[in-house]
Amino acid sequence: VDLAESGGGFVQPGGSTILSCVSSDTSSSLGMAWFRQKPGAGRQFVAAVSRPGSITNYEDSVQGRFTISKDASNMLKLEMKYLRPEDTAVYVCAATKWYSNSVNPSQYEYWGKGTLVTVSS
């Protein structure tokens, strides 16, 4: 499964943006998630959506500001609002055929290359 993210860029603090992730597998039931990686740090869980797409899970600092969604073709989106400078990171899309709604990066078999979001004035 190939994953390709888009939508990163520069955003002012308090602003909004939407990230998208296109999957080459448009028919399997995939558990999908967004992770982010800051310089010198490991991958941090951001948000996950279950294989049916009905259950979501968020990291505490993004709860209420970010919304994850997935459609029937496994197009994954992350709507990001009220962005803060500390949200600056490379955001990476991940997918799994075996797990659902997982926060553990080791449970995702497929990864995109990431898209950079920079929150700065």
Side-chain angles (χ1 to χ4, degrees), residues 40-81:
R43 282 174 177 162
Q44 178 192 24
F45 169 75
V46 176
V49 59
S50 62
R51 291 170 65 189
S54 56
I55 299 173
T56 57
N57 189 12
Y58 296 93
E59 192 269 330
D60 287 348
S61 72
V62 308
Q63 179 78 49
R65 299 189 298 122
F66 292 7
T67 302
I68 189 171
S69 62
K70 178 172 78 83
D71 69 13
S73 69
N74 293 321
M75 164 75 82
L76 185 70
K77 290 188 182 291
L78 185 68
E79 183 176 8
M80 307 164 71
K81 297 181 177 179

Side-chain angles (χ1 to χ4, degrees), residues 63-115:
Q63 179 78 49
R65 299 189 298 122
F66 292 7
T67 302
I68 189 171
S69 62
K70 178 172 78 83
D71 69 13
S73 69
N74 293 321
M75 164 75 82
L76 185 70
K77 290 188 182 291
L78 185 68
E79 183 176 8
M80 307 164 71
K81 297 181 177 179
Y82 310 112
L83 283 160
R84 306 167 180 168
E86 55 264 37
D87 293 320
T88 295
V90 174
Y91 285 75
V92 187
C93 172
T96 175
K97 291 187 176 182
W98 300 104
Y99 298 94
S100 193
N101 215 25
S102 175
V103 306
N104 187 346
S106 67
Q107 292 184 339
Y108 290 87
E109 306 92 84
Y110 309 105
W111 292 86
K113 294 182 179 180
T115 184

